[in-house]
Amino acid sequence: MSFQNKVVLVTGASSGIGAATAIAFAAEGARVAIVGRNEKKLAVTAEQCEKKGSKPLFIAADVTKDEDVIRIMKDTINHFGKLDVLVNNAGIAPNASILAPDAMDTFDKTMTTNLRSVVHLTHLAAPYLVESKGNIVNVSSIAALSVVVNYSSAYSTSKAGLDHFTRCVALELAAKGVRVNTVNPGPVKTDILESAGVTAEQRDAMMAAVSKMVPLGRVGEPEEIADVILFLASDKAKSVTGSTYVSDNGMVMNGIMQIPE
């Protein structure tokens, strides 16, 4: 797949799926705008993109802040002059019981990060994507499709909302030649759990336990999800819109299951 001279905007590009996606697009000739809050980690992604032959536009920003979202789009268009692909990847995965005192704070923060920011950035990007006949790939989760971990009502609800928002916008923009899809990963080796307060030791134990529970007996790598994102963003998927692409090593086939805490 070639994305030569295509402009791609990737949020949550500091690490994990976002970083792998930005690097993969750069390797295929894309001009990439990378967005993240952690400037040190984002700089590492930028360095890797440049090694692949494409120096990215570095945007340190927080997608939960409206002024930052506006700046993200403004800087991208001012720098590149257009937008061909939007990858909404930024997200958080905090756990909180519905009985916990901070249940509503957790819910509001999760919905703002995982859903509202996507709606806002999509709203701003849509006119440019209509002009370029581009497309959007939203990074969701199998948590939108099945209950896979306890105390995850906020996260799971945000991802279920993201899936349905994707379908709604896909229908609305189809007549204008813009495709919109989601990729729904299962457990992937990223730092999202550590960002949610899980220790490295707990993460490793959780991943080891999960690998024994899924049909393929393994957990995913960020680069595998990046491969799906690039496919959905490419002309190879020109008939695909409003779809949910699952990459979970078969985990969702087990139905409702609980990842060990």
Side-chain angles (χ1 to χ4, degrees):
M1 290 177 287
S2 174
F3 289 90
Q4 197 69 38
N5 295 320
K6 298 290 187 180
V7 175
V8 181
L9 172 59
V10 183
T11 67
S14 300
S15 61
I17 293 170
T21 299
I23 294 165
F25 272 117
E28 294 294 337
R31 294 182 289 168
V32 186
I34 57 173
V35 179
R37 291 180 299 178
N38 189 316
E39 294 188 42
K40 185 176 181 180
K41 288 185 177 181
L42 197 62
V44 174
T45 302
E47 182 180 351
Q48 293 301 312
C49 287
E50 194 162 0
K51 285 182 178 179
K52 295 296 184 179
S54 179
K55 184 177 181 179
L57 174 63
F58 184 108
I59 305 176
D62 184 343
V63 295
T64 68
K65 297 178 179 178
D66 285 356
E67 61 272 23
D68 278 15
V69 175
I70 293 169
R71 176 168 56 85
I72 289 167
M73 187 52 54
K74 182 179 179 180
D75 287 356
T76 300
I77 299 302
N78 284 346
H79 188 80
F80 294 117
K82 66 170 185 170
L83 179 65
D84 296 287
V85 179
L86 170 62
V87 180
N88 285 305
N89 169 72
I92 58 174
N95 284 351
S97 167
I98 196 65
L99 300 173
D102 64 345
M104 292 312 302
D105 287 341
T106 299
F107 181 84
D108 289 343
K109 183 178 179 180
T110 304
M111 294 296 285
T112 298
T113 305
N114 294 1
L115 185 54
R116 189 185 186 281
S117 70
V118 173
V119 175
H120 192 184
L121 196 53
T122 300
H123 165 66
L124 297 176
Y128 301 104
L129 294 171
V130 168
E131 185 176 342
S132 66
K133 304 302 179 187
N135 67 84
I136 301 170
V137 182
N138 294 322
V139 179
S140 184
S141 168
I142 60 165
L145 310 173
S146 179
V147 180
V148 295
V149 64
N150 206 4
Y151 310 124
S152 67
S153 59
Y155 178 75
S156 298
T157 300
S158 72
K159 293 302 187 180
L162 177 59
D163 281 10
H164 207 50
F165 171 74
T166 297
R167 288 185 285 268
C168 291
V169 175
L171 178 60
E172 180 179 347
L173 296 180
K176 299 183 183 298
V178 176
R179 299 182 298 106
V180 191
N181 294 287
T182 69
V183 57
N184 293 56
V188 177
K189 295 175 184 176
T190 72
D191 61 1
I192 192 169
L193 292 175
E194 291 173 84
S195 298
V198 175
T199 66
E201 292 76 15
Q202 288 173 322
R203 178 206 61 200
D204 292 344
M206 186 182 296
M207 292 297 102
V210 169
S211 68
K212 297 176 181 178
M213 298 166 65
V214 299
L216 290 182
R218 63 187 298 277
V219 296
E221 299 284 350
E223 291 75 16
E224 297 167 19
I225 308 305
D227 286 342
V228 179
I229 292 171
L230 263 68
F231 165 72
L232 290 173
S234 76
D235 287 342
K236 291 181 181 295
K238 60 185 176 183
S239 66
V240 181
T241 195
S243 292
T244 298
Y245 265 61
V246 174
S247 178
D248 69 342
N249 291 290
M251 185 175 182
V252 79
M253 290 191 295
N254 285 334
I256 296 177
M257 56 188 293
Q258 292 295 324
I259 297 175
E261 297 174 28

